[in-house]
Amino acid sequence: MSGAPARLLVVVPHETDPPARLGAWLAQAGLELDERRPGSGDDLPATLDGVDGLLVLGGPQSAMDDERTSPELVGVRRLLAQALAADLPTLAVCLGAQLLAEVGGGRVRKGVGGPEVGATLVAKRDAADADPLFGPLPLSPDVIQFHHDEIAELPRGATLLASSPMYAHQAFRVGRHVYGLQFHIETTPEIVEEWAERDVVGVAASPLDRETICARAAAVHPDLEEVWAPFAGRFADLVRSRARAGAAAS
């Protein structure tokens, strides 16, 4: 007789970046998703008790925002700090990765190379070959970028897993189970279209116009699914392993 499904807390800091396809892949992998939207008024749990994994998504806020500017991020930072301390299986995306970097002793700043927008590639670092999530990925997987800030310094003790020519710190791991992705893997073409419409400054900084950015992003979404859906499955395995270990200890 199997126990309850492993529980993943999904934190959506802003409604413009829902879990979308990533949430569907994780649910298909057997996880129970508990989605909270603090930017829309949802309460976040005070602790990660009873949670087997954590997913923190992105949004237009900045990791450098103070409590008055973005009060909804206070609880997100608290949960990321708890996840780091417990080495809880965690996936932090874009803003989530920047918050993770800061909580872990790294540093975020306005991107010195300007906004990074649209479909692009990242390159695995040598350390990724031995990583359980990143090892099976192709050398230069497709991703979606939409950020103005950059992770200038990684958290203490972090392992760099992927880079790009524009921004070096594209993916990293802290401990054994806590991961940060500067890029997006969760999007749909419609989400990218909404971002491109909202982010006038980011689009203006790109050498491509908005229509081309959206068309190129739409074209790579099948490749994104081919690469990142199995990645999501491997992350779900980490969460399930944590759940099993917790059940055995109780």
Side-chain angles (χ1 to χ4, degrees):
M1 181 176 171
S2 59
R7 182 166 165 241
L8 181 71
L9 178 63
V10 179
V11 177
V12 180
H14 197 272
E15 68 274 8
T16 55
D17 188 20
R21 297 205 304 174
L22 177 56
W25 299 334
L26 293 167
Q28 288 164 12
L31 300 187
E32 178 185 302
L33 275 53
D34 178 2
E35 184 176 325
R36 307 290 181 96
R37 300 193 173 207
S40 300
D42 287 352
D43 290 331
L44 292 177
T47 72
L48 292 168
D49 292 347
V51 170
D52 304 305
L54 176 66
L55 170 62
V56 179
L57 292 151
Q61 306 98 315
S62 171
M64 297 178 284
D65 288 349
D66 61 19
E67 182 174 350
R68 289 178 60 187
T69 305
S70 296
E72 70 278 4
L73 298 183
V74 173
V76 183
R77 292 186 178 98
R78 182 184 68 243
L79 292 176
L80 284 168
Q82 292 177 20
L84 273 175
D87 197 28
L88 185 80
T90 297
L91 197 56
V93 176
C94 199
L95 172 64
Q98 294 168 354
L99 292 168
L100 173 63
E102 286 217 317
V103 165
R107 188 166 61 90
V108 175
R109 66 186 176 195
K110 189 173 178 64
V112 295
E116 191 174 25
V117 169
T120 184
L121 302 172
V122 294
K124 284 167 57 178
R125 302 298 296 249
D126 288 347
D129 289 340
D131 183 84
L133 298 195
F134 276 78
L137 291 175
L139 189 59
S140 295
D142 290 290
V143 300
I144 298 293
Q145 302 279 10
F146 245 97
H147 64 101
H148 292 230
D149 296 340
E150 67 165 312
I151 298 168
E153 294 176 19
L154 291 176
R156 289 183 294 270
T159 299
L160 183 62
L161 298 171
S163 295
S164 78
M166 194 164 175
Y167 288 114
H169 301 138
Q170 291 287 347
F172 61 91
R173 186 188 73 239
V174 189
R176 292 184 59 208
H177 302 127
V178 179
Y179 290 84
L181 311 180
Q182 175 58 82
F183 48 84
H184 296 275
I185 62 174
E186 73 282 9
T187 54
T188 63
E190 293 75 20
I191 287 172
V192 176
E193 286 177 11
E194 181 182 358
W195 293 351
E197 196 169 318
R198 285 171 169 262
D199 188 2
V200 176
V201 173
V203 169
S206 170
L208 305 175
D209 62 26
R210 184 165 63 90
E211 290 73 18
T212 305
I213 289 169
C214 292
R216 291 191 177 186
V220 303
H221 271 82
D223 297 320
L224 286 173
E225 180 166 14
E226 184 177 345
V227 169
W228 295 105
F231 174 93
R234 295 191 291 275
F235 176 69
D237 289 342
L238 286 185
V239 178
R240 278 197 300 270
S241 294
R242 181 65 167 235
R244 285 195 297 270
S250 61

